[in-house]
């Protein structure tokens, strides 16, 4: 029960972070947003370090660094994806892709799906199709946006898998290492591409809030994964589009069409079935 509650809180934090990051990326170049979000995430983890501790073993640092590289890619791809929009389609696509890969890793490592899980996985793939093609008119996502959404989902999945592989007694070490690497990578990329970033000022508060929420979401996921199965925790965490979609509808007035609703419903059922494993 502890793992389930932590995973649900993680999904809520991810959903809010994604919405704020996507909105911030609409106001300025995505790297300008990430330049603020990534260091803000690191600052949160540094503040928590004295309270939660950290053991910097070779395995913790190695897996943490790998998660940081994946996190940097996820930041850029996800915020760019949500900036293109529509959020109510692309966020669920990203979430389902990010859920499938950890399930596969969990199965390879010895976790077993129940009958409900064997139904839930293909249902999740059907949901991806429905939410991708269900909109009409200006709300239809472009092929490029869908590719970005799949790439963002894969990067998120790799980040979560790497965090899960870190030693369970390493405390915040994987998160601290990962966020330091992702911050360095994004700041370096921004420096190299500075002339291409444009003159628009980033939304400082929105971008920083996205980074803080993303950091808390990562911490909650790590705690959940240490007390439960990766496959179950990952798919519950993948419920985060619910928050993003609701915020997109309330703030941006994005419409949700019938096939999209069917896809979102199928996604919810699929995630619930997978969680039963």
């Amino acid at each position: 029960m502890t793992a389930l509650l932590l995973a649900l809180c993680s999904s809520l934090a991810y959903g809010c972070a994604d919405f704020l990051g996507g909105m911030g990326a609409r106001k300025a170049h995505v790297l300008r947003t990430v330049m603020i979000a990534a260091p803000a995430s690191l600052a949160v983890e540094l503040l928590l370090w004295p309270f939660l501790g950290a053991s910097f073993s070779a395995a913790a640092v190695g897996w943490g660094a790998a998660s940081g590289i994946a996190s940097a890619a996820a930041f850029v791809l996800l915020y760019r994806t949500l900036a293109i929009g529509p959020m109510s389609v692309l966020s669920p696509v990203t979430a389902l892709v990010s859920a499938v890969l950890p399930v596969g890793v969990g199965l390879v490592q010895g976790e077993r799906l129940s009958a409900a899980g064997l139904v839930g996985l293909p249902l999740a793939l059907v949901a991806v199709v429905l939410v991708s093609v269900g909109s009409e008119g200006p709300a239809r996502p472009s092929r490029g946006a869908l590719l970005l959404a799949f790439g963002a989902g894969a990067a998120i999945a790799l980040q979560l898998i790497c965090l899960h592989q870190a030693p369970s007694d390493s405390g915040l070490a994987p998160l601290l290492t990962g966020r330091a690497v992702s911050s360095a990578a994004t700041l370096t990329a921004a420096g190299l591409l500075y002339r291409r970033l444009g003159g628009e000022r980033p939304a400082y508060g929105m971008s920083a809030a996205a980074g803080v929420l993303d950091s808390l979401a990562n911490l909650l996921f790590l705690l959940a994964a240490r007390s439960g199965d990766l496959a179950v925790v990952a798919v519950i965490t993948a419920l985060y589009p619910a928050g993003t979609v609701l915020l997109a509808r309330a703030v941006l007035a994005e419409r949700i069409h019938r096939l999209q609703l069917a896809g979102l419903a199928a996604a919810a059922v699929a995630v619930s079935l997978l969680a039963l494993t």
Side-chain angles (χ1 to χ4, degrees):
M1 182 59 68
T2 300
L4 295 180
L5 291 175
L6 288 170
L8 284 171
C9 291
S10 176
S11 71
L12 178 61
Y14 273 130
C16 294
D18 289 352
F19 178 80
L20 292 174
M23 289 293 293
R26 292 184 176 185
K27 298 180 180 297
H29 193 282
V30 64
L31 276 177
R32 289 192 179 275
T33 300
V34 178
M35 283 172 61
I36 299 168
S41 294
L42 178 59
V44 171
E45 290 160 11
L46 288 172
L47 290 173
L48 292 174
W49 185 359
F51 303 98
L52 299 179
S55 176
F56 291 92
S57 64
V61 171
W63 285 112
S67 75
I69 295 172
S71 174
F75 259 131
V76 174
L77 290 172
L78 182 61
Y79 290 175
R80 180 56 181 163
T81 298
L82 297 179
I84 294 174
M87 288 187 181
S88 56
V89 175
L90 297 177
S91 183
V93 171
T94 300
L96 289 170
V97 174
S98 71
V100 169
L101 291 179
V103 168
V105 171
L107 293 176
V108 170
Q109 293 183 338
E111 298 176 6
R112 293 291 178 265
L113 288 174
S114 66
L118 292 174
V119 174
L121 189 57
L123 182 59
L125 299 177
V126 172
V128 170
V129 176
L130 289 176
V131 296
S132 300
V133 303
S135 56
E136 299 176 358
R140 183 184 295 276
S142 66
R143 181 178 299 178
L146 287 174
L147 289 175
L148 283 173
F150 276 93
I156 293 171
L158 289 175
Q159 177 192 2
L160 299 183
I161 290 168
C162 290
L163 288 177
H164 178 261
Q165 298 303 312
S168 59
D169 60 352
S170 57
L172 287 181
L175 292 178
L176 285 165
T177 304
R179 195 58 70 191
V181 169
S182 66
S183 296
T186 53
L187 291 174
T188 300
L192 293 174
L193 300 173
Y194 183 76
R195 294 183 178 180
R196 302 181 183 180
L197 301 186
E200 300 89 350
R201 296 183 60 184
Y204 292 101
M206 199 176 295
S207 302
V212 170
L213 287 168
D214 185 79
S215 180
L216 293 176
N218 284 339
L219 173 60
L220 291 167
F221 169 82
L222 184 62
L223 296 176
R226 287 175 176 175
S227 57
D229 291 337
L230 174 62
V232 174
V233 169
V235 293
I236 293 176
T237 302
L239 285 167
Y240 70 81
T244 306
V245 168
L246 291 175
L247 283 171
R249 179 167 178 79
V251 178
L252 304 179
E254 287 191 2
R255 295 180 59 193
I256 302 177
H257 297 267
R258 291 182 179 179
L259 283 180
Q260 284 180 279
L261 286 172
L264 291 173
V269 172
V271 171
S272 300
L273 288 171
L274 287 169
L276 292 177
T277 62

